[in-house]
Amino acid sequence: MSNELPLWEIFIRGQHGMSHRHVGSLHASDAEMAIRHARDVYTRRNEGVSIWVVRAADITASAPGEKGPLFDPSNDKVYRHPTFFDIPDDVGAM
Amino acid sequence: MYAQMVKSTGSGIKSREEMSPEERHFQDRVDAGEKIEPKDWMPEGYRKTLIRQIGQHAHSEIVGQLPEGNWITRAPTLERKAILLAKVQDEAGHGLYLYCAAETLGISRDELTRQLLSGKMKYSSIFNYPTLTWADIGAVGWLVDGAAIMNQVPLQRTSYGPYSRAMIRICKEESFHQRQGYDIMMKMANGTPEQRRMAQDALDRFWYPSLMMFGPSDAESVHSAQSMAWKIKINTNDELRQKFVDQTVPQAEYLGLTVPDPDLKWNEARGHYDFSEPDWEEFFEVLKGNGPCNVERMAARRKAWDDGAWVREGLMAHAAKHRGPVAAE
């Protein structure tokens, strides 16, 4: 059973100009077959206008244990959000 | 509900004092409604129970294609045929979403298939009943998919991220299945006297097997208590069964059909229907492999796997020969 078809991660871009979004995965022998299968498995209801397939083995993910060091620093930079600044109503839309 | 009698490991819920710090942290995350993702730490029992549950659910979707596929070539009109074909294709898709969710827990697809074919893993008892007439296709959509939806809607909130996402996708597609079944039943129930008889006969045969789909009462089960603490089971089997009966009885009345249960009656005080339990001995026999179609279903799955071997091998050989990078658009 070592000859299992490899796993591919599937990304679909929907109708409304959004980015490709991860929708799931499937097994296929190569990229062309992965796209064919992705069409049948993930776009039966007109969900997409474009498909990307990526071998699951080629994806590098951040480790869950690094969640703190990676993402906590952004919490103390609240000034990145526009609501940090008080602008008087008299100034008008900004 | 496509997962029945899934046993969690261990002997029941640990108290906080008995838990390791990791287990406590894990349980806190589940209690807070956070999703658990594949690479997160999880108790071994959680992983194993989920593999059993999601795997059984996936196998049910795949084996569930067989009773309905039986009628694709004999659907009464071209439109009905196209609809049934689309529905059965959806079931294949649902099986694939769920297999992928199970695989994130560290079991391979081939191993899942092997365990189904060896009989180690189960699929829902309901698919071991035959579809004898076209009305059965209506009853399957209405009752079997109806019962499945009852179970799957709460599972959208399950604690395991990939399972939850698969359930959300499946639920979106599933109501088409139930409606197409009810549509067939309406046509049959309002048809000729013979069609009406077929509709009633289908309800007679599928009513109790549908109630069995929820599994025996698990109010006292330590396995269910653990699964509920882990939020991989949201309601008890009895709660879901009651909900199904309450929803389905008025639908049968609308069709002018009779639910085959002389003791079925509305209980004003409880605000629910009272109904008879299915024959649980029959249920356990079907689980053991002694249902009307167990042998046939497994033979069909084995044949599909064996007959497809040369295709899988050919595809892999072709891919090995032509391997090269493909740039993204």
Side-chain angles (χ1 to χ4, degrees):
Chain A
M1 297 258 176
S2 58
N3 205 27
E4 186 175 86
L5 304 184
L7 189 67
W8 298 75
E9 299 297 332
I10 311 302
F11 299 80
I12 306 274
R13 184 167 63 220
Q15 312 272 356
H16 307 293
M18 305 295 277
S19 313
H20 284 77
R21 198 169 70 90
H22 182 245
V23 291
S25 49
L26 51 76
H27 289 268
S29 53
D30 58 23
E32 188 192 339
M33 288 304 291
I35 286 186
R36 283 171 189 247
H37 291 330
R39 171 215 182 246
D40 290 341
V41 179
Y42 292 108
T43 67
R44 288 193 304 280
R45 285 171 176 76
N46 211 15
E47 289 95 335
V49 294
S50 168
I51 301 172
W52 283 354
V53 299
V54 182
R55 255 180 205 269
D58 290 340
I59 291 182
T60 308
S62 62
E66 286 171 21
K67 217 192 285 175
L70 278 179
F71 305 115
D72 284 353
S74 74
N75 281 339
D76 52 16
K77 296 178 183 62
V78 283
Y79 41 79
R80 282 218 160 94
H81 298 282
T83 46
F84 178 76
F85 305 94
D86 282 328
I87 305 292
D89 289 347
D90 296 346
V91 177
M94 182 179 283
Chain B
M1 132 114 52
Y2 290 155
Q4 297 159 324
M5 311 277 301
V6 175
K7 290 199 160 58
S8 64
T9 55
S11 50
I13 307 174
K14 288 185 184 174
S15 67
R16 282 190 76 80
E17 293 71 45
E18 292 171 295
M19 288 180 184
S20 68
E22 280 160 320
E23 285 173 319
R24 249 195 308 268
H25 177 65
F26 174 85
Q27 190 61 49
D28 288 344
R29 291 188 61 201
V30 170
D31 291 344
E34 275 183 45
K35 295 286 180 230
I36 307 302
E37 295 296 339
K39 287 186 169 180
D40 295 347
W41 186 90
M42 60 186 81
E44 208 37 41
Y46 178 85
R47 180 190 303 276
K48 283 194 179 141
T49 308
L50 266 179
I51 288 176
R52 275 184 216 154
Q53 180 172 333
I54 303 173
Q56 195 181 110
H57 196 156
H59 295 324
S60 299
E61 300 281 356
I62 298 299
V63 177
Q65 294 179 96
L66 297 170
E68 292 184 289
N70 185 35
W71 280 88
I72 290 174
T73 55
R74 289 174 285 160
T77 67
L78 185 58
E79 188 188 41
R80 293 283 182 198
K81 181 178 181 148
I83 292 171
L84 184 58
L85 199 56
K87 196 230 175 213
V88 172
Q89 190 193 21
D90 270 356
E91 305 297 1
H94 296 177
L96 295 179
Y97 308 155
L98 287 160
Y99 279 133
C100 286
E103 287 174 81
T104 63
L105 293 157
I107 186 168
S108 73
R109 175 76 61 90
D110 280 358
E111 179 59 20
L112 284 162
T113 306
R114 203 184 59 73
Q115 292 195 9
L116 170 68
L117 298 185
S118 75
K120 190 178 173 207
M121 287 183 91
K122 302 286 180 204
Y123 55 91
S124 176
S125 59
I126 190 73
F127 302 117
N128 291 311
Y129 291 86
T131 43
L132 303 175
T133 73
W134 174 250
D136 287 7
I137 299 305
V140 166
W142 171 35
L143 301 173
V144 175
D145 289 278
I149 290 170
M150 230 15 117
N151 176 54
Q152 289 167 348
V153 165
L155 279 176
Q156 293 178 102
R157 291 181 282 118
T158 187
S159 61
Y160 190 56
Y163 192 24
S164 160
R165 291 191 281 275
M167 279 294 114
I168 289 169
R169 219 183 153 83
I170 288 173
C171 284
K172 259 191 216 161
E173 301 181 346
E174 197 82 65
S175 72
F176 143 55
H177 298 179
Q178 194 186 14
R179 281 164 168 244
Q180 68 87 34
Y182 196 71
D183 187 60
I184 292 172
M185 292 306 278
M186 285 198 294
K187 202 84 179 169
M188 302 289 285
N190 295 312
T192 63
E194 179 57 17
Q195 285 174 317
R196 225 186 141 64
R197 270 198 296 280
M198 282 165 71
Q200 180 63 54
D201 171 58
L203 173 58
D204 289 347
R205 282 181 291 108
F206 275 95
W207 175 255
Y208 286 108
S210 299
L211 296 187
M212 289 178 200
M213 286 175 69
F214 299 96
S217 178
D218 59 354
E220 310 290 320
S221 160
V222 290
H223 297 296
S224 289
Q226 177 62 80
S227 289
M228 288 175 95
W230 281 334
K231 288 194 190 158
I232 55 181
K233 183 179 173 75
I234 311 290
N235 305 94
T236 67
N237 294 348
D238 289 327
E239 280 168 4
L240 292 170
R241 189 170 13 253
Q242 180 72 62
K243 219 172 154 196
F244 174 74
V245 171
D246 290 347
Q247 179 184 290
T248 308
V249 170
Q251 295 168 352
E253 281 168 1
Y254 181 84
L255 294 171
L257 300 178
T258 310
V259 173
D261 178 359
D263 296 327
L264 180 83
K265 61 170 191 301
W266 178 253
N267 183 326
E268 193 65 53
R270 287 201 313 129
H272 293 290
Y273 283 94
D274 291 335
F275 60 95
S276 304
E277 289 279 313
D279 177 355
W280 291 113
E281 266 176 49
E282 176 183 318
F283 171 78
F284 287 113
E285 279 303 308
V286 174
L287 277 200
K288 265 194 263 169
N290 301 326
C293 299
N294 295 61
V295 173
E296 190 185 327
R297 301 292 184 238
M298 288 313 293
R301 288 313 307 151
R302 281 197 199 98
K303 182 170 162 24
W305 180 250
D306 293 342
D307 289 358
W310 70 272
V311 179
R312 295 190 297 275
E313 284 158 20
L315 283 168
M316 288 305 285
H318 177 84
K321 215 156 116 186
H322 297 275
R323 192 154 295 149
V326 178
E329 176 196 326

